[in-house]
Amino acid sequence: MAPSREELSQAAQTFCDAFAEKNDLETILSYFSTTHEVSAIEYGHPILAPFLGRPFVGISGVQQYFELIASLLSYKDITFSQYVIDPVAMKVSVKGKGTFTWLSTGQSWDETFTYTLDFDDELKVIQYQVWADSGAAYLARNGKLSEVNA
């Protein structure tokens, strides 16, 4: 029997809370399916940031994605709202907000982003998709964000 709308909502909220609370990588990965091929992708042109525009496939790929993000960015004050739940498609989209910092330059920006999470019947994430402000990430990466925020 497929999970209910409420169960799907709770699974998505639990995953998002783990990210917002900066749970360790092992905990984050525990929310991904072990019975389906999993993937993570953050949309954008790869020239803008090394984690953009390419799929990270398999649990090792997803792990690589989160390790890459952690090596380049820090974040704080993450909140999630406006969950859109499709129990037929087993998919949840959610709006997030927070402050991100590119570690090598120390430049920070406030960002609104979207996750779309696809789930299996065991309420584990199969596909993790992110749409975010790749322009701000690029400018921060190159130490130019303060020039446009002036």
Side-chain angles (χ1 to χ4, degrees):
M1 185 168 137
S4 70
R5 178 182 183 82
E6 292 75 25
E7 290 168 326
L8 194 57
S9 174
Q10 185 58 50
Q13 288 178 29
T14 300
F15 176 83
C16 290
D17 288 348
F19 184 80
E21 295 165 4
K22 299 183 180 183
N23 285 182
D24 60 59
L25 182 55
E26 184 177 330
T27 301
I28 298 292
L29 293 175
S30 74
Y31 293 107
F32 283 82
S33 178
T34 57
T35 59
H36 294 78
E37 183 173 73
V38 297
S39 65
I41 185 167
E42 187 161 341
Y43 293 98
H45 198 287
I47 200 167
L48 299 176
F51 50 84
L52 293 175
R54 64 183 175 111
F56 292 81
V57 179
I59 199 67
S60 63
V62 172
Q63 179 176 344
Q64 180 187 11
Y65 168 81
F66 284 111
E67 288 173 345
L68 184 57
I69 292 289
S71 74
L72 299 171
L73 301 174
S74 66
Y75 62 88
K76 65 180 182 178
D77 302 327
I78 299 291
T79 60
F80 292 95
S81 63
Q82 299 181 15
Y83 289 79
V84 178
I85 301 150
D86 183 340
V88 175
M90 299 288 291
K91 187 179 295 253
V92 176
S93 290
V94 57
K95 181 170 90 172
K97 290 185 176 186
T99 302
F100 292 81
T101 301
W102 198 277
L103 294 174
S104 65
T105 64
Q107 294 197 338
S108 298
W109 68 99
D110 293 330
E111 181 169 309
T112 300
F113 56 93
T114 301
Y115 286 173
T116 298
L117 308 168
D118 293 83
F119 289 89
D120 67 14
D121 288 338
E122 297 174 353
L123 296 171
K124 298 289 190 171
V125 176
I126 299 171
Q127 187 175 34
Y128 169 85
Q129 300 175 80
V130 182
W131 287 265
D133 188 349
S134 56
Y138 175 76
L139 291 169
R141 173 185 179 201
N142 290 289
K144 304 285 186 184
L145 189 60
S146 59
E147 293 176 21
V148 295
N149 279 339

